[in-house]
Amino acid sequence: MRFRRLCAAVLLAAFLPVPTPANAAQTTCEDVYTPVQFGLIKQTMYGRLCVPQGAKTLQVLVPGGTYTSGYWDIPVDSDKRSVVRAMNNAGIATMAVDRIGSGKSTKPLSILVDVPNQAQAVHQVIEKLRPRFAKVIVGGHSIGSAIAMAEAGIYKDVDGVLVTGMTHQWDYVRAVPALTNLVPALLDAKLGLRGLDVGYLTTVAGSRYRMFHAPGPEVPAVTSWDEATKDVVSAGEFVTTALMSNLVLPVSAAIDVPVMTMQTSADYFCGTPPLGADCSSAQALVRSEKPFYPKAPRLDGYVVNGYGHVFNFDTKSADAYHAALVAWQRGI
């Protein structure tokens, strides 16, 4: 009798549904490799597409220099640090891409890798996905923000623009010395194995906390992951970012959809104008940046305090930052 009851229990357990974590069953993720025209040549842009069931809004997210799509889905304490997870939990789809030349995207000669060509590639990714969604937001961090602004200003195919880690006024006194931490990737012990040309750059070993995270807390697991997954940036991306965001007529002047600028007060892009935007408050940030978005019907701002350039790694501000981003998207 006991044996029969045991067998019955085993059979019942086999057919009962297994509980899944909240949102796990509702969001489907896939790796997507999009063939793109990149200037005059063909390339492939990698992206990780995550779509919650019933999602009507898509965020296309572009990382900054020496980062990949992983910047938007940081696995260390991901419940706090992952923008992808926060957006998916709010019912917003995400497509985090690797810039051409980095990560799982193809790697042409570095002289071809600049902001206009990257924007062209992101535009084609958006074209492929646009029919599935009622609203599309293009967003970026640092150089990725310059690419997002160029994409929106040139192609006019999105409903909003997210700009993080980038303003139109830079504190060159702090930014230029930070760039001395960059070296040709071919000199790096791991990245040198890719056989990239001298125009691809990466950070000197051991410099990432000081360059990107300070004055935030130094968390060994974070800095170890950041160092282990560091990638490359082209010299051309740096030059065209400067030219298109603040040294000549900025491409943002052509953006005609709502913009959210989210910055951290400790960044190279914040300070006392003209050496950095005024990031003393969200309102001050908007006043400081508004002249560079003359056609945008709406400019909103958000300021993180107490962390460096890569504030997606900050757990202290994460909940409020993610909530503000979700609320902005729902309001445009």
Side-chain angles (χ1 to χ4, degrees), residues 294-308:
K295 294 183 179 180
R298 173 175 165 183
L299 176 64
D300 294 284
Y302 187 88
V303 176
V304 172
N305 293 302
Y307 209 88

Side-chain angles (χ1 to χ4, degrees), residues 94 195-196:
T94 54
L196 299 173

Side-chain angles (χ1 to χ4, degrees), residues 188-202:
D188 185 80
K190 184 170 70 173
L191 296 175
L193 300 176
R194 293 185 184 177
L196 299 173
D197 66 72
V198 71
Y200 281 107
L201 310 173
T202 194

Side-chain angles (χ1 to χ4, degrees), residues 186-222:
L186 60 84
L187 300 179
D188 185 80
K190 184 170 70 173
L191 296 175
L193 300 176
R194 293 185 184 177
L196 299 173
D197 66 72
V198 71
Y200 281 107
L201 310 173
T202 194
T203 52
V204 174
S207 65
R208 293 183 79 82
Y209 169 74
R210 182 175 66 256
M211 188 174 180
F212 294 138
H213 300 266
E218 187 167 7
V219 180
V222 167

